[in-house]
Amino acid sequence: IKDDLAFLGVLITQVNKKLSDPTLMELANSLCHTDPEKRPVTASAIAVLEGVKGNQVDQAEVVDEFSQRFHIGETLKTHSYGKTVRAKDTLSQSNVILKYESGRPEGNWAQSEYRHLTSEKLLTVAGIVKAVAGGGAGAGFYLATESLIGNTLLTLIDDGQVNDPAVASKLTMQLLEILEAIHPDMAAIGAVIDANPGLLTTAEMNTIDELRRGGVAHNHLDPSNIVIVPGRGPVLIDCIRMARLGEQIPARVVQYWPKKMAITQSDPAADLFAVGSMLLRMLTVESGGKVRQQGPSSAQRDSLVEIALRAIDADPQKRFASATAFKDAIVSSGLVMTDIRFSEDVFALQNK
């Protein structure tokens, strides 16, 4: 084993020629120590490797890799494994949001997002941000998505532009139509499970597996991840946690997520909970971001609040089982629906 660890030290030394990580250098030197008894044990070596932050991307190198196709603009976000920037794609002649990642231990999030965004099911959904390009670059992967001209739902909520029940109900319906298009058939999955309260047979498990492959959950619905585009409606962005029912997803702090649901497991039910939470927020926040304490009540507002509260009920069994069931509750209430009318230029509003 000690000889194997020494060989690992040699490999780490070679890899670290590119990374130049001081922690890796120290580990490699200790693994290659001439006295086998002074080399670290396997558990210690693993602990050190787990503490390394991964491949710190050379930002200048990233710019060089894309300079021929993309004209790099404003940097929007940087992290240990890459960055996100505004860019101009010279092939499509369009403005894009460009992500580059490399070295993330749990897998490349940009690559996973690209795989879902280019799937046959999502390509036809107008309410999902479109991938313009994607592929390997150096040791990592890049994803370019369309740059949307519009306001985030967060901006509109804080500006009081979606406080009208007619507008809130229309936006909610549009969000549910998107989820209805991308989610698997949750009603069919539930029917298979309910038909046999005991252990599922192999055939039933195969049926459920086939059904869950029929769609994905977004898993990070938040007002800041929804852009309202004039003439198009709401568009879901930031799809890195998108996955099939039951699949492992990246751990993130998500504002609208059921308390007793695992944060690292994909579940369409979490999307429905998020829509209910956002509907309640739309109805209770006025201009300036102030929470509406008291005010004139109306049958439509009260009905919507009741629907939203059901969507986020503490008992999961009382919530809506699918986007279709959620939609049906709104339609059956006979609510009046109105498209949002932007009161200001979208750029001026976004830059407030």
Side-chain angles (χ1 to χ4, degrees):
I1 293 177
K2 292 187 180 297
D3 288 340
D4 290 340
L5 289 175
F7 179 64
L8 176 62
V10 174
L11 292 179
I12 292 175
T13 299
Q14 295 300 316
V15 172
N16 203 41
K17 288 181 179 179
K18 183 173 182 179
L19 299 180
S20 300
D21 187 288
T23 303
L24 286 177
M25 181 182 298
E26 184 178 349
L27 174 61
N29 290 338
S30 63
L31 288 172
C32 295
H33 200 286
T34 55
D35 185 351
E37 297 303 320
K38 293 185 179 180
R39 294 172 189 162
V41 296
T42 304
S44 298
I46 292 174
V48 172
L49 289 172
E50 287 179 340
V52 175
K53 292 184 178 179
N55 183 5
Q56 305 293 319
V57 175
D58 184 333
Q59 304 301 340
E61 180 181 331
V62 172
V63 172
D64 288 342
E65 291 197 46
F66 300 117
S67 60
Q68 292 186 354
R69 174 168 183 176
F70 298 101
H71 293 165
I72 307 300
E74 174 191 4
T75 297
L76 301 176
K77 184 188 301 182
T78 60
H79 50 80
S80 297
Y81 307 106
K83 68 176 182 177
T84 301
V85 300
R86 295 188 189 278
K88 176 68 175 289
D89 179 16
T90 59
L91 291 184
S92 65
Q93 291 298 308
S94 61
N95 294 322
V96 298
I97 303 298
L98 181 64
K99 297 179 182 179
Y100 177 87
E101 279 201 0
S102 176
R104 192 184 292 276
E106 65 269 35
N108 195 296
W109 292 2
Q111 186 173 14
S112 174
E113 185 175 2
Y114 177 73
R115 185 175 65 252
H116 286 299
L117 292 182
T118 55
S119 66
E120 183 178 356
K121 187 177 183 70
L122 267 62
L123 281 173
T124 58
V125 182
I128 299 292
V129 67
K130 302 305 176 190
V132 176
F141 193 93
Y142 75 90
L143 166 64
T145 56
E146 60 181 327
S147 181
L148 300 170
I149 300 176
N151 295 122
T152 64
L153 181 56
L154 178 62
T155 298
L156 297 175
I157 289 175
D158 288 346
D159 199 59
Q161 294 208 32
V162 292
N163 184 254
D164 183 344
V167 172
S169 59
K170 180 62 179 286
L171 278 175
T172 301
M173 284 291 288
Q174 290 174 316
L175 289 173
L176 292 171
E177 286 168 357
I178 297 171
L179 296 182
E180 191 175 42
I182 70 172
H183 279 180
D185 190 338
M186 297 303 293
I189 292 175
V192 175
I193 295 174
D194 293 341
N196 189 349
L199 293 175
L200 295 173
T201 64
T202 300
E204 288 168 333
M205 287 190 290
N206 289 338
T207 299
I208 291 176
D209 186 56
E210 184 65 28
L211 288 169
R212 62 181 283 276
R213 291 175 181 276
V216 294
H218 184 276
N219 295 307
H220 198 177
L221 284 187
D222 179 283
S224 63
N225 289 336
I226 300 170
V227 179
I228 312 301
V229 180
R232 179 171 169 182
V235 179
L236 310 188
I237 63 173
D238 197 7
C239 302
I240 61 172
R241 279 169 55 90
M242 186 173 277
R244 296 190 182 109
L245 170 65
E247 289 183 337
Q248 289 294 109
I249 52 178
R252 264 194 171 188
V253 177
V254 182
Q255 184 176 6
Y256 300 121
W257 191 269
K259 289 183 179 180
K260 296 183 179 180
M261 186 178 291
I263 197 69
T264 57
Q265 185 169 319
S266 174
D267 196 329
D271 288 348
L272 302 179
F273 181 92
V275 172
S277 301
M278 290 186 288
L279 172 57
L280 201 58
R281 184 170 176 180
M282 282 188 268
L283 294 170
T284 56
V285 176
E286 297 179 326
S287 182
K290 296 180 180 179
V291 176
R292 180 177 181 269
Q293 301 295 338
Q294 291 182 340
S297 181
S298 69
Q300 177 146 334
R301 184 180 296 276
D302 293 344
S303 181
L304 270 179
V305 168
E306 184 178 342
I307 291 172
L309 290 175
R310 179 184 169 188
I312 62 173
D313 196 286
D315 182 356
Q317 299 301 318
K318 294 181 180 179
R319 300 174 194 157
F320 299 109
S322 66
T324 302
F326 199 154
K327 279 179 54 184
D328 289 345
I330 296 177
V331 172
S332 63
S333 297
L335 299 171
V336 175
M337 300 184 200
T338 304
D339 285 318
I340 184 172
R341 294 183 179 179
F342 293 96
S343 60
E344 300 181 50
D345 179 87
V346 291
F347 294 108
L349 185 58
Q350 193 71 47
N351 292 325
K352 270 191 173 183

